[in-house]
Amino acid sequence: MLAILTSHPIQYQVPIWRALAEDGRVPFTVWYLTPHGVAATRDPGFGRSFSWDIDLLEGYPSSFLRIDAGWDLSRFRGVRLKEHLVERMKRERIDTLWVEGWRFEVFWRAIRAARKLGIRTWMRGDSNDLKMDSMVKRLVKRPLLSRVLGQVDEFLCIGCANRRLYESYGVGRARCHSTPHCVDNDRFSRQAADLRPRRAEVRRQWNVPEDAFCVLFCGKYIPKKRPLDLVEAARQLVASAESLPKLHLLFVGDGDLKGQIKRGCQLAFDAENEALSVRYEGKRPTASFVGFLNQSTIVEAYVAADVLVLPSDSGETWGLVANEAMSCGTPAIVSDLCGCAEDLVALLDRRLVFRCGAQDDLAASIRHVMMRPPKRAAVESAANTHHLRHTVLKVAELYQQTRATC
């Protein structure tokens, strides 16, 4: 039996668990530490409490580990177990343990428990070599992390930068297996196809004109995601003397930078207030702010938009909103410090990757898509190189190999 240990039910991971269950070749169970995302809990980045509005527990075997109250997923030691993992592994006859990264002390303890019992261990996380830690942090972190990674048998790599990080810690290539970072491509593609005939109607609800070129930002309004870079790049395009389509920004999400972003734009729609008149004059870009959209409605934003922009710095270990948008046929522009840049977005068009923080480069990438938009089929084809079936196939193959060597 394979046990998968992860922090909480995550909308990006659950489709993999369901696909594994449907495939049927690997007996497994998912162990969750906390109910974050299932029960309404506060997310500091969004500045609000929420829970996902889709079922994240149906279609696969799972259970919640017993933990102390007052857990905090923002801290390394923020979750404390009230049960012994060695005993649970014995009781459930676990022969392979899969941990989702090294973010929590509980994961480190689980690896040690598995090694004590002679259980094979796998790791799949999204950390990469794009983020440069301070010298002090590297001096402290490297020996500790080297020790943990040295106890892991196999690594499920989500992309090139993730693989390079493992290799930098001495992990051999034979222990690294490609399991591309993915979302539920089929669900997003299907929902987008159903909604696309009503695209003009979707735009109207947010005061986005049918003839405008709509640029979407989707996520938390926080510094690491750099939404103000998009505002400045759009301002440059609006102020240029070029003959370009009308530019309209669509902001989905919430966060501390909301006030600054709004002050840099002409508001055409604000979910917190009444709709305003659309103006395309002056030097500020016109924008609609629709607030937080949950999983059942986020496809509306991808269908309404002509391109998604993710300007994040190296804190963005991947950027799965790019997978979501591209599964809907909407191209994505991302900074070169996003983990998805070289594996996913550059596969479609290298000109859709810009230097992080270079607002003129971002403006050039937007201009490029405005003038030469990629075909929807090409966008969806690139997205499907990161389909969950690739991960399911590799997991099944690796598990059979593991069982054969036991």
Side-chain angles (χ1 to χ4, degrees), residues 75-223:
R75 296 189 295 112
F76 177 65
R77 293 186 174 88
V79 181
R80 296 189 176 276
L81 288 180
K82 295 176 66 174
E83 61 178 286
H84 296 290
L85 287 176
V86 168
E87 295 305 315
R88 178 178 273 260
M89 290 177 185
K90 287 180 179 178
R91 185 171 65 251
E92 298 192 19
R93 298 182 178 181
I94 303 303
D95 56 36
T96 307
L97 174 70
W98 165 349
V99 293
E100 276 288 312
W102 59 72
R103 182 179 171 189
F104 302 104
E105 183 188 32
V106 174
F107 291 173
W108 296 39
R109 291 174 56 192
I111 292 170
R112 290 196 297 269
R115 299 294 290 185
K116 181 177 180 180
L117 296 173
I119 290 171
R120 301 282 290 181
T121 57
W122 301 351
M123 179 176 286
R124 186 175 190 261
D126 58 6
S127 298
N128 58 49
D129 68 347
L130 300 176
K131 184 176 182 180
M132 293 299 294
D133 292 326
S134 67
M135 179 63 73
V136 172
K137 189 172 183 179
R138 288 201 299 271
L139 289 173
V140 173
K141 177 179 175 181
R142 190 163 189 87
L144 293 173
L145 197 51
S146 294
R147 194 176 309 151
V148 172
L149 298 184
Q151 298 178 61
V152 176
D153 296 295
E154 313 291 344
F155 294 82
L156 308 179
C157 302
I158 64 165
C160 294
N162 178 236
R163 180 188 295 265
R164 288 195 303 268
L165 179 66
Y166 293 140
E167 292 177 349
S168 75
Y169 278 90
V171 176
R173 290 193 174 189
R175 294 163 61 199
C176 293
H177 310 275
S178 179
T179 55
H181 222 355
C182 57
V183 298
D184 190 348
N185 294 33
D186 295 340
R187 175 172 73 87
F188 283 101
S189 178
R190 182 174 60 253
Q191 290 181 343
D194 291 342
L195 190 61
R196 200 167 289 117
R198 296 191 288 115
R199 184 174 190 254
E201 176 187 337
V202 173
R203 282 185 161 215
R204 279 196 298 273
Q205 71 178 335
W206 297 323
N207 233 0
V208 181
E210 193 170 352
D211 62 344
F213 186 87
C214 182
V215 180
L216 169 66
F217 177 94
C218 182
K220 299 173 182 178
Y221 304 160
I222 55 178

Side-chain angles (χ1 to χ4, degrees), residues 14 26 47 49 63 84 111-112 129 142 163 170 183 193 217 225 227 255 278 295 311 348 358 367:
V14 167
V26 179
S49 294
S63 60
H84 296 290
I111 292 170
R112 290 196 297 269
D129 68 347
R142 190 163 189 87
R163 180 188 295 265
V183 298
F217 177 94
K225 291 188 179 287
V278 183
Q295 284 288 292
L348 176 64
R367 184 187 298 109

Side-chain angles (χ1 to χ4, degrees), residues 354-365:
F354 68 97
R355 289 182 299 117
C356 184
Q359 296 155 346
D360 53 342
D361 279 6
L362 173 53
S365 292

Side-chain angles (χ1 to χ4, degrees), residues 312-331:
S312 305
D313 63 25
S314 59
E316 191 74 71
T317 53
W318 184 266
L320 284 164
V321 289
N323 297 61
E324 291 182 348
M326 291 174 66
S327 294
C328 294
T330 302

Side-chain angles (χ1 to χ4, degrees), residues 224-235:
K224 82 169 187 179
K225 291 188 179 287
R226 304 183 67 95
L228 293 169
D229 284 359
L230 172 56
V231 175
E232 173 56 25
R235 189 201 64 77

